[in-house]
Amino acid sequence: MYVASFRHATLATPLRLVAMSPRCCCSLMTVAAISAASVFFCASAFILNPLPSAHHRTISIHHSSIDSINNDHSNNDSAAAQISRTLQDIEKDLLANPSKLQPILEQHDDDDRELTPNELAKETLLSTRLPNLPLNRTCTGPSTIEGAGRGLFAMEDIAKGELITCYPGDALLCDYSELEEEDFDEDDEEEEDFDDEEDIDFEDDDYCDEEADYIEEVVLWGEHVDATDRLEEDEVFDGIVDKDLPPLTSYAATVDDVYSVMGMPILDNNPAYYGHFANDGAGHIAIQTGVADAARRGIEEIISSYVSESVELSNARHKPIADGLHLGTFASKDIKKGEEVMVTYGPDYWMTFEG
C-alpha cells in the first residue's frame, strides 16, 4: 500500500471519492494559502516493505449471532447482511449492558467529553475485529503497482456488489469537532479576528496548535490490539523514522464526519480484515508528475486525469456496514481470481502525500 505522512490538512474538493483521513493541524484557510501544486507533486514515495505477520488477540465478544454467520454461510443471504445483523445485535447487547462499554470509556479518561451510550457502542464496534467471519476471499502479496509495497488479491471470483473483506479499526481516529460545533462560541471575546488574513501566520506553530485543540482529535485503540503494539500519538501521525515505519494514518479510511478507522499493517493474518491493503491503481500520477509538468498542465487537469484513471482501474470501494458500525470493502466490478483489488483513495490523499 502507498503510505504517506499526514501532518498537513487536506483540501476539500467535489472530486473527493474515498477520504483517507489526515490530521488537520490547520484550518481550511491554511490550505488555501498553500500552493496546491507543490503539495501535490513534490512528494516521493515513502514505501512500506512487507512486514512480518504478528500474532494478535481477538476482542472477547461472546454472542450467539457470531456463530450463526458461519452456520448460515451456505444460504443465499449475503455475508454483509449477516455481519450487519451481528453488529446490530451486539450493539443492542452493549446498550443493555453498559459495563461492556467500560474499555472504550476508560480511554476517554483524559478528556472531559460526555459521549452517549450509542456513541460509545459505535466506537467499541468500529474498533473491534469480529471473530470467525466467513471472509477468506483474499490474500496479500507484492502489488502489481510499482512502488506500492504489498497489495490485496482475490483468491476466488468475486461478483460486483459482494463484500470482499472488512476494513479493520485497530485504532480509531475521532474528530469530535463536528459533534461539538454547536458548543463553539463565535462571540468568544478571546477569539482572534481573522478578517485581515495578512495578520495571520498560517505556518505559526501556536496557530496550528490552537486549531488542533479545537479539532479535538482523539486516537482510540481496539481491545484486540496488544498494549505492546500500540503506538504513541506522535507515532500514529508521524511514524517511526528509525524503524522505517510510516504513520498509521497512512492506513486510515473515513467512515463518517467523526470517525476514521486505521488498520495496523503488522496485524496481517486475518483475511476477514484486509481492507487496508488495497491500493490505488492511479497513484503513479501523483508520484511521477513533476512540478514543471504540473505548472504547465494545471492542477485541475492533473486531478481530472488522476480521478479518471483511478476510477477506471478500481474494482472495489470502502463502504460502511450497519449504519457505520463497521467498514467493508465491496466489489464495484466483477473481480477474477488472482486479480489485484484496487480502490480509489481520492485527490485528498494525494494532496498530502509526502516522503
Side-chain angles (χ1 to χ4, degrees):
M1 177 180 180
Y2 291 109
V3 291
S5 174
F6 283 94
R7 273 295 190 182
H8 301 288
T10 54
L11 179 62
T13 165
L15 296 174
R16 183 170 185 164
L17 298 174
V18 175
M20 308 303 286
S21 178
R23 189 184 196 189
C24 296
C25 292
C26 304
S27 69
L28 290 177
M29 297 173 64
T30 310
V31 182
I34 299 175
S35 168
S38 62
V39 174
F40 190 68
F41 298 107
C42 287
S44 60
F46 182 6
I47 303 303
L48 173 66
N49 293 321
L51 296 172
S53 298
H55 173 71
H56 64 283
R57 297 176 291 111
T58 304
I59 190 168
S60 299
I61 294 182
H62 303 287
H63 202 282
S64 59
S65 59
I66 295 177
D67 294 331
S68 71
I69 294 179
N70 283 327
N71 296 335
D72 295 342
H73 187 49
S74 59
N75 65 25
N76 293 326
D77 201 4
S78 72
Q82 295 175 47
I83 292 171
S84 180
R85 287 197 301 272
T86 297
L87 290 165
Q88 291 167 348
D89 288 345
I90 297 176
E91 181 186 35
K92 293 177 182 177
D93 183 55
L94 291 170
L95 295 175
N97 299 276
S99 62
K100 296 184 178 182
L101 298 173
Q102 194 61 30
I104 202 74
L105 188 60
E106 289 176 353
Q107 295 193 59
H108 285 289
D109 282 349
D110 293 335
D111 60 63
D112 298 326
R113 190 168 295 98
E114 293 185 6
L115 297 177
T116 66
N118 290 85
E119 290 167 341
L120 292 171
K122 181 174 183 176
E123 291 182 354
T124 298
L125 288 170
L126 277 174
S127 59
T128 294
R129 289 192 179 209
L130 298 176
N132 306 319
L133 296 186
L135 289 174
N136 189 19
R137 316 188 74 180
T138 57
C139 64
T140 62
S143 176
T144 59
I145 307 168
E146 183 179 357
R150 280 189 289 184
L152 183 65
F153 295 85
M155 294 177 60
E156 60 184 42
D157 291 346
I158 302 173
K160 178 181 178 180
E162 290 183 351
L163 177 64
I164 302 170
T165 185
C166 292
Y167 202 109
D170 302 319
L172 190 61
L173 183 61
C174 314
D175 178 358
Y176 293 116
S177 59
E178 289 290 329
L179 295 178
E180 299 180 353
E181 201 170 71
E182 294 181 0
D183 297 330
F184 183 69
D185 184 5
E186 295 182 354
D187 296 324
D188 192 331
E189 293 180 357
E190 296 181 2
E191 182 181 3
E192 295 182 49
D193 183 4
F194 292 144
D195 290 337
D196 187 359
E197 294 186 13
E198 293 182 358
D199 294 335
I200 304 173
D201 182 0
F202 292 110
E203 301 300 323
D204 181 73
D205 290 339
D206 291 336
Y207 172 77
C208 290
D209 288 343
E210 290 173 7
E211 287 296 301
D213 289 341
Y214 169 67
I215 288 171
E216 296 280 1
E217 286 186 322
V218 174
V219 176
L220 305 175
W221 290 94
E223 191 179 354
H224 61 281
V225 180
D226 194 276
T228 59
D229 291 329
R230 300 183 183 188
L231 305 175
E232 298 295 332
E233 182 175 324
D234 285 347
E235 295 171 343
V236 169
F237 295 104
D238 296 332
I240 307 176
V241 176
D242 58 353
K243 294 183 179 180
D244 289 330
L245 291 178
L248 189 57
T249 48
S250 299
Y251 289 88
T254 297
V255 179
D256 54 34
D257 289 339
V258 178
Y259 299 112
S260 297
V261 288
M262 297 184 287
M264 298 189 72
I266 63 170
L267 303 186
D268 60 358
N269 61 355
N270 183 359
Y273 287 93
Y274 271 177
H276 54 317
F277 291 114
N279 282 313
D280 184 338
H284 64 280
I285 292 180
I287 296 174
Q288 297 175 0
T289 303
V291 175
D293 190 35
R296 177 178 58 83
R297 295 173 58 191
I299 188 68
E300 293 84 0
E301 181 180 337
I302 300 297
I303 291 178
S304 178
S305 297
Y306 157 74
V307 171
S308 296
E309 183 165 352
S310 183
V311 171
E312 177 66 24
L313 293 174
S314 68
N315 52 21
R317 65 190 183 106
H318 306 309
K319 296 194 305 181
I321 301 175
D323 295 326
L325 298 180
H326 243 46
L327 194 67
T329 304
F330 291 80
S332 57
K333 302 174 184 175
D334 291 340
I335 302 174
K336 297 295 185 182
K337 179 179 178 180
E339 188 177 348
E340 182 166 2
V341 177
M342 296 185 187
V343 297
T344 179
Y345 292 177
D348 285 0
Y349 180 93
W350 298 109
M351 285 278 189
T352 57
F353 191 92
E354 64 174 38

